[in-house]
Amino acid sequence: MLLSIKDLHAGINGKEILKGVNLEVNKGEVHAIMGPNGTGKSTLASVIAGRDVFEVTSGDVSYQGKNLLKMSVEERAREGIFLGFQYPVEIPGVSITNFMRTAVNELRKHRGLDPLPGGDFIRLMEEKKKLVEITSNLTNRSVNEGFSGGEKKKNEIFQMAMLEPLLAILDETDSGLDIDALRIVANGVNRLRRPDNAFVVITHYQRLLDYIVPDFVHVLFEGRIVKSGGKELALELEEKGYDWIKNEQD
Amino acid sequence: MESDANHILDQVTQGEYKYGFVTDIETELAPRGLSEETIRYISAKKNEPEFLLDFRLKAFSHWLTLKQPTWAHLKIDPIDFQDIIYYAAPKKKKDLESLDQVDPELLATFNKLGISLEEQKKLAGVAVDAVIDSVSVKTTFSDTLAKHGIIFCSFSEAVQKHPELVKQYMGSVVPYTDNYFAALNSAVFSDGSFCYIPKGVRCPVELSTYFRINAANTGQFERTMIVADEGAYVSYMEGCTAPQRDENQLHAAIVEIVAMKDAEVKYSTVQNWYPGDKNGKGGIYNFVTKRGICKGSNSKISWTQVETGSAITWKYPSCILLGDHSVGEFYSVAVTNNHQQADTGTKMMHLGRNTRSTIISKGISAGKSNNSYRGLVRISKNAVNSRNYSQCDSLLLGEHCGAHTFPYIQVDNKSSVVEHEATTSKISEDQLFYCQQRGIDTEQAIGLIVNGYAREVLKKLPMEFAVEAQKLLAISLEGSVG
Ligand SMILES: Nc1ncnc2c1ncn2[C@@H]1O[C@H](COP(=O)(O)OP(=O)(O)OP(=O)(O)O)[C@@H](O)[C@H]1O
Ligand SMILES: [Mg+2]
C-alpha cells in the first residue's frame, strides 16, 4: 500500500476541519475526491503534504509503511509526494528553470545522485514541456508571476512531470481550464500513470473524469469521507447534486 | 504558527561569516595614532611629490575642524582615531616581476577568497589589481592594457608615473572638504587603484580590484580614481572581504569617477566585509564616499552594488549630471543580518539639460538588523526636461529587523518629472511551503526567493560577479547555502 489514512483529525487555530478521514491508496490507482466547497478537500491535501499551519490532533497516516506525520515537508516531497496547488504561488524573479533545477537536484541528492549536468537538464525540460504542450518562453518567466489561470495549472503538471512523484495530489487542477487545456492536462496525467505510482485528483467536475478515469470516487463532506464508489458515483453526483448526500447524512 | 515561521527564519538567518581567517604576512606598520607626523610618515614612505603632501596636510587641518556626522540612521560607537594604525604594508623583499615572486601566503589568501590570481588571469580577460592592506601587490594584464593606452595601476604608482593626471583629477569630484570621512581619507589615504581610459577607447576587459583588510587595528583608506576620456568606456569591479576580528575596523574610502563627453563608466561593487558576530560584536565600519561626475554631454555613469557585509555601512554612490543628456544610474542590493546596520542610497544631482537618472534599491533585512535607504534627487533650475525614476523596495525576514526609506526630492523647474515608488514585503509562508513541497529546504528556499527579489539589480552585474553575488546573498542570510 502507498498511502493509508486512518481516522485523521486536523484543524487550524483550534477549529476542526478534518473529522475522521479514512483513505487507502494503492500503487497504480487513481482516486477522485469530490465534495462541496469548504468541506476540507484542500486541507486534506495540505495535511498529506505536511503544511504545518494545520494541526493534526489524532489519527495515523502511513506512506510506504512509514509514519508520514513525522516527516518534514521537503522529506515528503523528496520521498515522492507531489501537491498540485489549487492556488499556485508566485515567486517573483525566480525563473521556472532555476526553480525546477534546484528541485530536481535536491531530489537527486536525496537519492545519492550528482546534480544533473546543465545540458541534460535542458533536454529533460524540453521533453517534459512537450508533454504538457508548454511554449518555450514560459519556463524563462518567474514562477507563476503574471501567469494566466490556465498557465499556472499547466505549470503544476509540468513540475509534476519533471519530478515524477509516486503520489500526486492534484487539487482542482482542472478549475479554470478551457477545453483544450483540460485535455492537455489530462493527457499529461495519463501519460505519467505507471503501475508504481498513484494519483489523487480533487475536482468539482465529472468532466475531468471523462479524461482521467478514476478507479475510485470519494465524497468528502463536512470533514469526512461519507461515500465511496467507482467512477459511476461521479455521474450520480453530477445528476443528483450534493443535496442527495446532505439528505442521506441528516 | 507565525512564530514558527519566524523561528525557522531566525535559525537560517544566523549564519557565521565564511571569510574569517588571518593571513600571516610580515607587515610594516605606521606608529599608532593620527597627527601631522603620521601624515608626513606615510607621504615619505611613499616618496610622494610635494603637492600631494600639501593636499594631505590641508585635508588634515580641515578634518580637525569637523565633527563626526550623526544624521545617518545608525548607532555608532565612538571611534578613537588615535587608536588606529594608518599605514600597513606587507614588507616587500624586492620588486615583483612575476606572480611566482608574490608571497605564497598572500597567494594562499587569494585562494581562500576563491580568486586565485592564476585563475583570474586566465578567466575571460579580467585584469586584477589586488590590494592587500594598502599596497597594491600585483597588477596583471598591464601589457594588454598599455597597448590601448589604458592606465590601470595602483594609486601610488600613478602618483610616481602620472603625477600630472593625479594632480588634475584628485579631489575634483570629492573635495577633501566634502565630509568628515572624506577629509580623513584625503589626509591619510594609503593606496588604491587608478584608471585612465584615453579618448575613444573601449576598455577590452573588465577591470577588477579585490580589496582585503588584513592586519589587526588598521583602518584602510583607499582612494580610487577612474577617468574615462571622450567616448571611452570602462567597466570596473570592486570586491572586498576582510578577516574576522573582534575590534571594529574602520574603512573610509573615496572613489572618484570622471566621465567626459560620450564616455561611459560602469562601477560594480560586491562588498562582504566582516559583519560582526551574531551578537553584534566586531565588524567593519564601512564609511565610503563614492561619487562620479558626468562632465561631458551624453556621458553615463552607473553604480551597481551588492552590499552584504560590514557591521555598519554608510555610503551613497552619487552622480553629478553636469553634461546635457547625461545619465546616472544606481542599482543596489543591501542585505543586513544579525546586528548589522546599513544606511545607503544615492544622490542624483541634475545640473545639465535633459539629464536622466534611475534608482533601483532593494533592501533585505533579517535578524535584529536595520536597513535604510537614503536618497536625494535634486533637479536644478537649468536642468530642464530632466527625469528621475526611483524604486525602493524592502524585504523583511522576521519580526525583529527594520527597514526605512528616506527619499529627499527637490525639483527646481517645471519641465522635469520625478517618480518615486516604494514597497515593503515579507517572504510569505505560502512561498516557503511551495518551495518545500518541491523538495527545496527552507535555507535554499530563502536563498532562491531573495535572489529572485534582487534579480533586477543582480542582472546589471558583470557575469563573473553576478554568480559570486548570488552565492553571497544566500550565504549572508543563512551561512552555507550556495
Ligand atoms: N488557513 C486557514 N485559516 C482558517 N480557516 C481555514 C484555513 N484554511 C482552510 N480553512 C477553512 O477550512 C475549511 C475547509 O477548507 P478547504 O480549503 O479545505 O475546503 P475545500 O474543500 O478545498 O473547498 P473548495 O472546494 O472551495 O476548494 C473552510 O471552512 C476554510 O475556510
Ligand atoms: Mg480546495
Side-chain angles (χ1 to χ4, degrees):
Chain A
M1 191 173 308
L2 193 57
L3 178 75
S4 161
I5 301 175
K6 293 211 176 82
D7 197 25
L8 179 66
H9 291 254
I12 191 163
N13 299 331
K15 175 187 156 199
E16 188 166 65
I17 301 169
L18 301 180
K19 301 167 180 168
V21 172
N22 291 290
L23 181 67
E24 293 196 343
V25 178
N26 290 298
K27 289 179 176 173
E29 293 176 349
V30 173
H31 292 246
I33 296 182
M34 306 185 78
N37 292 132
T39 52
K41 300 182 297 296
S42 295
T43 303
L44 177 61
S46 293
V47 169
I48 295 171
R51 184 162 207 164
D52 66 1
V53 294
F54 295 103
E55 196 190 356
V56 175
T57 44
S58 69
D60 296 309
V61 182
S62 84
Y63 172 71
Q64 293 191 299
K66 280 182 276 191
N67 183 352
L68 188 70
L69 299 178
K70 283 237 164 79
M71 292 158 69
S72 70
V73 180
E74 55 267 32
E75 254 177 283
R76 297 180 200 208
R78 292 171 197 161
E79 285 288 322
I81 292 181
F82 178 90
L83 174 58
F85 284 68
Q86 181 173 2
Y87 305 109
V89 181
E90 296 185 4
I91 311 181
V94 179
S95 68
I96 294 185
T97 306
N98 191 11
F99 183 64
M100 269 297 103
R101 191 156 180 193
T102 310
V104 165
N105 285 334
E106 277 307 296
L107 189 65
R108 291 176 64 88
K109 191 160 89 193
H110 183 68
R111 294 177 182 160
L113 299 169
D114 287 336
L116 202 59
D120 293 355
F121 177 79
I122 299 291
R123 268 189 292 281
L124 179 70
M125 227 172 57
E126 288 308 317
E127 177 195 324
K128 302 298 185 185
K129 268 157 67 174
K130 278 199 200 106
L131 199 76
V132 271
E133 298 176 33
I134 280 183
T135 55
S136 57
N137 65 9
L138 198 69
T139 42
N140 293 332
R141 286 171 54 186
S142 299
V143 177
N144 293 319
E145 199 183 28
F147 284 24
S148 74
E151 284 169 338
K152 284 185 182 171
K153 297 300 173 76
K154 272 200 202 176
N155 180 29
E156 294 294 290
I157 301 299
F158 164 72
Q159 293 182 40
M160 177 176 80
M162 290 293 289
L163 299 169
E164 302 196 316
L166 291 178
L167 176 65
I169 303 159
L170 303 179
D171 192 356
E172 295 200 24
T173 305
D174 55 332
S175 297
L177 293 184
D178 63 38
I179 303 289
D180 287 342
L182 182 71
R183 186 185 38 79
I184 291 167
V185 162
N187 283 345
V189 171
N190 286 331
R191 268 179 244 165
L192 293 167
R193 281 180 79 164
R194 289 192 321 241
D196 67 334
N197 65 16
F199 292 82
V200 174
V201 181
I202 297 170
T203 182
H204 285 294
Y205 306 106
Q206 141 68 22
R207 191 182 59 169
L208 176 72
L209 304 179
D210 286 341
Y211 294 99
I212 305 172
V213 182
D215 301 294
F216 301 95
V217 175
H218 310 277
V219 180
L220 190 70
F221 184 74
E222 293 183 348
R224 278 182 301 128
I225 289 179
V226 295
K227 210 169 186 63
S228 296
K231 61 174 189 283
E232 60 294 339
L233 177 58
L235 286 168
E236 207 172 342
L237 280 172
E238 184 108 315
E239 198 179 304
K240 299 187 186 167
Y242 288 118
D243 281 347
W244 163 53
I245 303 283
K246 275 183 201 154
N247 294 337
E248 267 189 15
Q249 293 302 303
D250 293 339
Chain B
M1 251 26 270
E2 260 293 282
S3 70
D4 244 31
N6 288 331
H7 180 68
I8 296 169
L9 282 175
D10 281 351
Q11 278 187 339
V12 298
T13 54
Q14 281 166 10
E16 298 280 346
Y17 188 64
K18 290 279 188 259
Y19 298 93
F21 53 87
V22 175
T23 305
D24 197 7
I25 302 172
E26 261 194 282
T27 323
E28 192 179 345
L29 302 174
R32 194 178 292 267
L34 181 53
S35 64
E36 208 177 296
E37 252 158 54
T38 317
I39 289 160
R40 286 183 189 279
Y41 172 93
I42 296 169
S43 193
K45 271 280 157 211
K46 302 172 81 62
N47 192 26
E48 288 176 349
E50 195 65 29
F51 82 87
L52 205 48
L53 178 62
D54 266 10
F55 178 85
R56 289 177 182 278
L57 291 173
K58 276 192 206 140
F60 179 62
S61 43
H62 181 71
W63 181 74
L64 289 174
T65 68
L66 301 174
K67 280 208 172 67
Q68 199 179 321
T70 53
W71 48 268
H73 199 85
L74 303 169
K75 280 195 211 87
I76 303 174
D77 286 339
I79 300 168
D80 181 355
F81 290 97
Q82 296 309 331
D83 196 34
I84 291 173
I85 296 166
Y86 287 88
Y87 182 76
K91 264 189 193 155
K92 268 198 263 181
K93 290 178 183 96
K94 55 178 174 336
D95 278 345
L96 302 164
E97 270 153 28
S98 83
L99 212 54
D100 308 334
Q101 293 172 298
V102 175
D103 188 330
E105 276 280 0
L106 231 148
L107 288 180
T109 301
F110 287 126
N111 286 326
K112 276 187 223 168
L113 291 170
I115 49 148
S116 94
L117 283 180
E118 289 288 9
E119 257 182 44
Q120 286 286 351
K121 281 206 316 189
K122 289 178 209 142
L123 257 178
V126 179
V128 179
D129 177 27
V131 176
I132 281 208
D133 289 339
S134 322
V135 169
S136 177
V137 181
K138 184 70 197 167
T139 304
T140 49
F141 271 87
S142 23
D143 293 349
T144 327
L145 298 177
K147 220 171 59 198
H148 290 86
I150 295 168
I151 302 168
F152 178 46
C153 60
S154 72
F155 205 90
S156 313
E157 198 182 326
V159 168
Q160 302 301 326
K161 292 193 181 155
H162 310 282
E164 69 301 334
L165 284 176
V166 173
K167 198 171 175 182
Q168 184 179 352
Y169 291 108
M170 187 184 62
S172 71
V173 191
V174 182
Y176 63 77
T177 49
D178 192 77
N179 69 69
Y180 186 80
F181 294 104
L184 180 64
N185 175 291
S186 300
V188 301
F189 72 90
S190 36
D191 213 331
S193 297
F194 186 91
C195 171
Y196 174 82
I197 317 290
K199 264 186 200 169
V201 170
R202 208 184 150 82
C203 184
V205 293
E206 311 265 1
L207 299 183
S208 162
T209 305
Y210 278 87
F211 290 114
R212 178 169 164 78
I213 301 178
N214 193 55
N217 269 323
T218 58
Q220 195 164 7
F221 303 93
E222 289 95 5
R223 239 193 133 89
T224 298
M225 176 91 244
I226 299 172
V227 179
D229 216 324
E230 283 183 19
Y233 167 86
V234 64
S235 165
Y236 186 91
M237 311 190 282
E238 170 206 307
C240 334
T241 55
Q244 192 156 359
R245 287 194 185 281
D246 275 346
E247 316 90 323
N248 290 303
Q249 282 177 293
L250 179 62
H251 179 84
I254 287 181
V255 177
E256 297 179 278
I257 298 177
V258 178
M260 308 304 256
K261 185 170 178 288
D262 297 322
E264 179 176 354
V265 178
K266 277 180 78 167
Y267 192 103
S268 312
T269 308
V270 172
Q271 184 268 115
N272 66 328
W273 275 327
Y274 181 50
D277 69 10
K278 279 185 212 170
N279 304 314
K281 194 165 159 17
I284 300 281
Y285 286 2
N286 187 23
F287 302 151
V288 177
T289 308
K290 290 183 167 178
R291 189 177 304 146
I293 182 164
C294 287
K295 244 187 167 158
S297 56
N298 287 311
S299 54
K300 178 175 176 182
I301 293 176
S302 47
W303 300 99
T304 304
Q305 60 173 24
V306 174
E307 303 279 325
T308 66
S310 296
I312 299 175
T313 297
W314 181 89
K315 70 182 257 198
Y316 314 91
S318 303
C319 297
I320 301 168
L321 304 173
L322 183 62
D324 292 346
H325 302 278
S326 61
V327 176
E329 293 175 338
F330 174 74
Y331 300 100
S332 168
V333 175
V335 180
T336 53
N337 193 5
N338 297 319
H339 289 264
Q340 278 175 278
Q341 306 175 63
D343 195 301
T344 183
T346 184
K347 289 183 204 164
M348 292 292 174
M349 316 291 275
H350 294 252
L351 303 175
R353 282 180 287 178
N354 299 302
T355 47
R356 276 177 294 137
S357 63
T358 304
I359 299 171
I360 308 281
S361 161
K362 304 269 180 181
I364 299 161
S365 348
K368 295 192 170 68
S369 68
N370 262 302
N371 203 328
S372 303
Y373 167 82
R374 188 184 301 275
L376 170 67
V377 176
R378 180 178 293 161
I379 299 188
S380 71
K381 203 168 149 220
N382 295 329
V384 290
N385 289 319
S386 293
R387 271 169 207 287
N388 162 267
Y389 173 74
S390 306
Q391 184 189 323
C392 304
D393 299 328
S394 308
L395 184 70
L396 299 170
L397 281 73
E399 300 287 303
H400 309 293
C401 49
H404 319 273
T405 306
F406 305 99
Y408 305 93
I409 297 167
Q410 188 188 328
V411 184
D412 292 336
N413 68 57
K414 288 208 170 76
S415 57
S416 296
V417 182
V418 172
E419 277 178 88
H420 180 90
E421 287 176 18
T423 66
T424 301
S425 52
K426 287 185 166 196
I427 291 186
S428 71
E429 197 268 332
D430 281 351
Q431 286 175 325
L432 282 179
F433 178 64
Y434 192 74
C435 294
Q436 289 165 332
Q437 210 301 306
R438 301 304 187 239
I440 300 166
D441 65 31
T442 314
E443 290 192 359
Q444 291 219 51
I446 289 174
L448 264 181
I449 294 166
V450 164
N451 270 302
Y453 168 79
R455 186 157 92 163
E456 226 180 317
V457 173
L458 296 179
K459 72 181 184 200
K460 297 284 174 189
L461 288 171
M463 251 319 260
E464 49 273 81
F465 241 32
V467 175
E468 184 186 359
Q470 276 176 26
K471 283 189 192 152
L472 263 180
L473 279 191
I475 285 173
S476 59
L477 284 170
E478 51 69 40
S480 66
V481 166

